[in-house]
Amino acid sequence: MTFTISDAAYATDTPAAKQAMYADLRSQLQGLLAGESDFIANTANFSALVFHTMPGLNWAGFYFLKGDELVLGPFQGKPACIRIKKGRGVCGTTVVEGKSIVVHDVHAFPGHIACDVHSRSELVVPVFAQEHIIGVFDLDSPLTGRFDEVDVQGVESLVRVLEAAIVAA
Ligand code: SME
């Protein structure tokens, strides 16, 4: 199944349609990661699949924890900030809290780090390996309020597929 939902169509998208999109993404991801243990290749393909399937995104990618800061990993979109201190911005706050954060309007999130002035909303999901947080997967949108609870659960389910591949590697 191919999804080519325009931004306008997205606004009227139903939770069921979004869940179907995430189910399709999970199965594509399982195919992409199957039998491949290279972490960079897998996270690069993960970013590309999400960025080119989900409507209304202007950035999708990883930051990985190195000491007390996050360092930019594989991504799709414009060049982004390279290092983010733990506790800073939406990404660094996600590391401290250990759970996903949805920002409806980035201008209302104190400390939001603007890598792209066009970003209006954001979803950041933590990535775990053996119960330790190793980084985050970050999605940005030029649309205010782009991400809802269905997206949180959907993107978390995709990250679980990646984590299973990391453990299996
Ligand atoms: N907005 C993020 C920084 C990363 S970029 O969006 C790619 C933050 O506040 O942590």
Side-chain angles (χ1 to χ4, degrees):
M1 206 185 302
T2 312
F3 290 90
T4 49
I5 311 166
S6 69
D7 287 3
Y10 170 76
T12 55
D13 207 2
T14 63
K18 288 172 80 168
Q19 279 157 351
M21 179 197 70
Y22 284 111
D24 186 60
L25 269 173
R26 275 194 299 278
S27 102
Q28 288 190 58
L29 195 55
Q30 273 152 355
L32 267 177
L33 305 188
E36 181 50 69
S37 61
D38 190 274
F39 188 66
I40 292 175
N42 283 344
T43 50
N45 263 340
F46 185 112
S47 302
L49 179 67
V50 169
F51 185 75
H52 290 284
T53 305
M54 285 177 65
L57 300 183
N58 61 339
W59 202 88
F62 290 90
Y63 280 91
F64 296 117
L65 205 48
K66 295 190 177 172
D68 67 346
E69 62 185 7
L70 287 163
V71 181
L72 184 64
F75 70 93
Q76 297 274 310
K78 289 185 183 169
C81 336
I82 298 170
R83 292 172 188 271
I84 299 173
K85 288 270 184 220
K86 206 168 161 178
R88 301 289 301 276
V90 188
C91 292
T93 305
T94 301
V95 170
V96 171
E97 295 192 358
K99 59 181 175 38
S100 301
I101 296 180
V102 177
V103 179
H104 181 82
D105 176 358
V106 297
H107 298 309
F109 187 97
H112 169 261
I113 299 165
C115 294
D116 182 341
V117 292
H118 295 105
S119 295
R120 285 289 173 273
S121 59
E122 182 159 2
L123 166 59
V124 183
V125 174
V127 181
F128 294 92
Q130 280 142 5
E131 291 169 31
H132 293 289
I133 188 158
I134 58 164
V136 300
F137 183 59
D138 180 16
L139 298 130
D140 290 341
S141 173
L143 309 170
T144 303
R146 162 67 181 80
F147 306 104
D148 63 14
E149 191 50 36
V150 177
D151 295 300
V152 174
Q153 290 179 12
V155 175
E156 285 180 350
S157 76
L158 302 179
V159 169
R160 299 294 90 85
V161 174
L162 175 69
E163 290 167 348
I166 295 170
V167 169

